[in-house]
């Protein structure tokens, strides 16, 4: 039997990253057809104190890979955060999807009770069980950044809808 933590994480990350990939493809096509400089979309944001699209995608992929790696008890892969183009973001998503694809479901057998320790941008560490880490921390942050990326593009006039956001399941 496959671990419930695996089935509530890896397929969800893969589905939503697939949706994000498609939304970015539509955004790139939108920019080309309307002769919009791609950087205008990549640097678009919903409000001045929020990350731009490019960073939203980076952070979403960071959550997908880091949450999955920690739950599986493997080293979190490092990505450089050097993306500047839609093609760069697509390559980043492909890299994370390949990492997720390569994770052995058996590595998640003890994930629900595995202790996860984070120090997310603050000097204070947080401790979770794997179950709590996934449901109360990892997935909410991942969905926040994928949703915000979608919202930035929708707000910028890219013709995307709920089906695009959800991806293939």
């Amino acid at each position: 039997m496959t671990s419930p933590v695996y089935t509530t994480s890896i397929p969800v990350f893969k589905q939503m990253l697939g949706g994000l990939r498609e939304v970015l493809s539509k955004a790139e096509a939108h920019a080309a057809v309307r002769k919009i400089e791609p950087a205008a979309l990549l640097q678009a944001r919903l409000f001045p104190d929020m990350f731009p699209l490019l960073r939203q995608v980076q952070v979403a992929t960071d959550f997908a890979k880091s949450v999955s790696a920690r739950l599986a008890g493997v080293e979190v892969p490092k990505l450089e955060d050097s993306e500047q183009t839609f093609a760069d973001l697509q390559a980043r998503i492909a890299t994370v999807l390949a990492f997720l694809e390569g994770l052995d479901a058996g590595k998640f057998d003890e994930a629900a009770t595995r202790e996860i320790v984070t120090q997310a941008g603050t000097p204070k560490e947080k401790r979770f069980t794997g179950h709590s880490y996934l449901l109360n921390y990892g997935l909410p942050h991942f969905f926040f950044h994928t949703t915000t990326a979608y919202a930035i593009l929708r707000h910028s006039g890219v013709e995307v809808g709920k089906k695009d956001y959800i991806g293939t399941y």
Side-chain angles (χ1 to χ4, degrees), residues 78-133:
K78 302 278 188 235
L79 296 177
E80 294 300 317
D81 294 341
S82 59
E83 295 81 16
Q84 297 296 314
T85 66
F86 282 108
D88 293 342
L89 290 177
Q90 293 288 10
R92 183 184 181 102
I93 291 170
T95 297
V96 173
L97 285 169
F99 170 72
L100 297 177
E101 201 61 48
L103 287 172
D104 180 355
K107 294 263 188 195
F108 290 78
D109 288 347
E110 305 299 321
T113 57
R114 180 173 286 130
E115 182 179 44
I116 309 290
V117 180
T118 66
Q119 202 165 1
T122 68
K124 185 178 179 186
E125 73 178 21
K126 294 184 181 190
R127 294 180 177 274
F128 302 90
T129 63
H131 184 259
S132 176
Y133 175 66

Side-chain angles (χ1 to χ4, degrees), residues 9 20 27 48-49 67 69 73 78 100 105 117 127 152 164:
S9 61
L20 185 56
D49 68 350
V67 169
K78 302 278 188 235
L100 297 177
V117 180
R127 294 180 177 274
I152 288 168
D164 301 303

Side-chain angles (χ1 to χ4, degrees), residues 11-27 46 53 56-57 60 93 97 138-155 158-169:
V12 174
F13 289 135
K14 288 169 41 178
Q15 174 186 333
M16 298 307 294
L17 288 175
L20 185 56
R21 183 178 51 207
E22 294 306 314
V23 167
L24 291 173
S25 291
K26 286 190 173 192
L46 293 176
L53 172 68
Q56 297 290 349
V57 175
I93 291 170
L97 285 169
L139 285 176
H141 283 276
F142 173 74
F143 281 118
F144 174 84
H145 292 286
T146 55
T147 301
T148 303
Y150 167 87
I152 288 168
L153 292 173
R154 188 68 188 103
H155 180 75
V158 178
E159 294 179 16
V160 292
K162 183 177 178 181
K163 183 178 177 183
D164 301 303
Y165 169 78
I166 297 295
T168 302
Y169 51 92

